[in-house]
Amino acid sequence: MRFKFNKYQGSGNDFIVFDTLSAIETETCRALTPVLCERHAGIGADGVLLLGGTTPSDLTMRVINADGSEPEMCGNGLRCALRHWARQGVIEIGQAFSVLTGAGPRIGQVDVSGAIHLWMGVPGFQRSQIPATGPGREEFRTQKLAIDTQEITVSALSMGNPHLVAFVDDIASIPLSAWGPALESSPYFPERINVEFAQVQSSSEVSMRVWERGSGLTRACGTGACAVAVTGIREGSLQSPVTVHMPGGSVQVEWSEGSEVRLSGPAVHVFAGEFDIADFHPPS
């Protein structure tokens, strides 16, 4: 059986996209995702997007990480979904549409310049919202965590999915391939957590590296960029709007206390293709 797909990338975060016409079953896709996303034996991607809906009133997005797990939300993925629907003529340029995600409905808009704007919801700071261990109404803010032989200061929050943010003097010196998985699986976070290290460049610019829950080292993370900007604004080192620079590209984040986060950035169609499911085998 052959399936059609499209490949998109948002700030270097790349996805294999299936829409409703592909009719691939979710469980089949979940089992195949690790090999589909593999850079040498598969198509290669950070994850898979399963898009539903054929009209602006019934749009849905599910995300499957490269390891087969399913996160609640993905900002770069949602921008790619909006770009795909615009290319397919499902949505109109300049109009805002609601998309149902695992984190609830999110509003998106493709503007005439080609930029894509997302309203990402109100951040959650309570431990019960992240989730993190400890008293549910308390925040996980400026906590000290031991990693290797060092101690780092971190804050955690939810952008519809969990994030751990650490501001450091030099993100290039952070051994993210070692610290990322250790922090992702910290016992403080029962559902694991995305990990961002950030370095302030100015009051309106910050650089970031990310270890994504379920995908590992990636070139960008939309919800992670929001988490970094929000944390920096709360701590007083950043002022909205914030440009977040990542290895794969830059996005802009706007936020004020108590409001929704607005994320703006690009999404690009890379190529279209098809494959025979018999050619792919789930890893043993």
Side-chain angles (χ1 to χ4, degrees):
M1 183 179 295
R2 301 191 69 82
F3 292 99
K4 294 181 179 180
F5 69 92
N6 282 271
K7 179 81 178 287
Y8 287 82
Q9 63 91 6
S11 303
N13 214 182
D14 58 341
F15 302 92
I16 301 164
V17 176
F18 296 102
D19 60 28
T20 49
L21 300 178
S22 68
I24 191 167
E25 295 180 4
T26 300
E27 291 308 313
T28 298
C29 189
R30 191 193 303 276
L32 283 173
T33 290
V35 71
L36 291 177
C37 290
E38 215 282 324
R39 299 287 177 182
H40 302 287
I43 297 167
D46 293 322
V48 167
L49 304 181
L50 295 174
L51 305 185
T54 55
T55 68
S57 63
D58 63 353
L59 303 178
T60 65
M61 182 188 78
R62 296 179 69 175
V63 186
I64 302 177
N65 288 324
D67 69 352
S69 61
E70 185 172 349
E72 303 85 352
M73 177 58 187
C74 177
N76 288 334
L78 186 52
R79 292 207 315 280
C80 290
L82 267 290
R83 174 66 67 204
H84 179 70
W85 284 317
R87 290 186 70 249
Q88 299 295 315
V90 175
I91 62 174
E92 295 183 20
I93 303 297
Q95 293 191 16
F97 299 94
S98 178
V99 181
L100 183 61
T101 74
R106 295 291 186 267
I107 304 297
Q109 177 192 53
V110 182
D111 74 20
V112 292
S113 73
I116 300 174
H117 309 292
L118 303 176
W119 285 261
M120 301 288 289
V122 178
F125 302 109
Q126 294 182 357
R127 289 172 181 257
S128 60
Q129 295 174 303
I130 298 168
T133 58
R137 292 180 179 275
E138 288 186 3
E139 295 187 7
F140 195 105
R141 188 174 183 183
T142 59
Q143 302 287 303
K144 301 290 187 182
L145 287 187
I147 183 77
D148 287 343
T149 59
Q150 300 187 44
E151 188 177 65
I152 57 175
T153 301
V154 297
S155 295
L157 68 158
S158 172
M159 282 303 313
N161 57 355
H163 290 272
L164 186 70
V165 177
F167 283 90
V168 295
D169 293 331
D170 180 16
I171 55 173
S173 67
I174 299 299
L176 192 53
S177 59
W179 286 11
L183 292 169
E184 175 192 357
S185 301
S186 165
Y188 287 107
F189 309 107
E191 296 181 11
R192 299 187 296 164
I193 199 163
N194 299 286
V195 179
E196 288 87 30
F197 283 89
Q199 179 180 341
V200 173
Q201 305 296 334
S202 72
S203 62
S204 61
E205 290 186 271
V206 63
S207 297
M208 175 189 112
R209 293 174 62 202
V210 58
W211 177 273
E212 287 199 64
R213 178 185 60 164
S215 293
L217 285 170
T218 61
R219 292 175 57 78
C221 177
T223 53
C226 294
V228 164
V230 167
T231 301
I233 292 168
R234 293 189 93 208
E235 294 180 1
S237 58
L238 295 171
Q239 295 179 352
S240 180
V242 178
T243 299
V244 183
H245 302 291
M246 298 169 285
S250 302
V251 295
Q252 187 178 75
V253 179
E254 299 170 67
W255 181 72
S256 59
E257 192 76 42
S259 68
E260 284 199 61
V261 179
R262 186 185 189 216
L263 171 67
S264 301
V268 178
H269 182 252
V270 181
F271 63 85
E274 60 179 66
F275 65 88
D276 191 322
I277 201 168
D279 294 335
F280 289 90
H281 305 280
S284 56

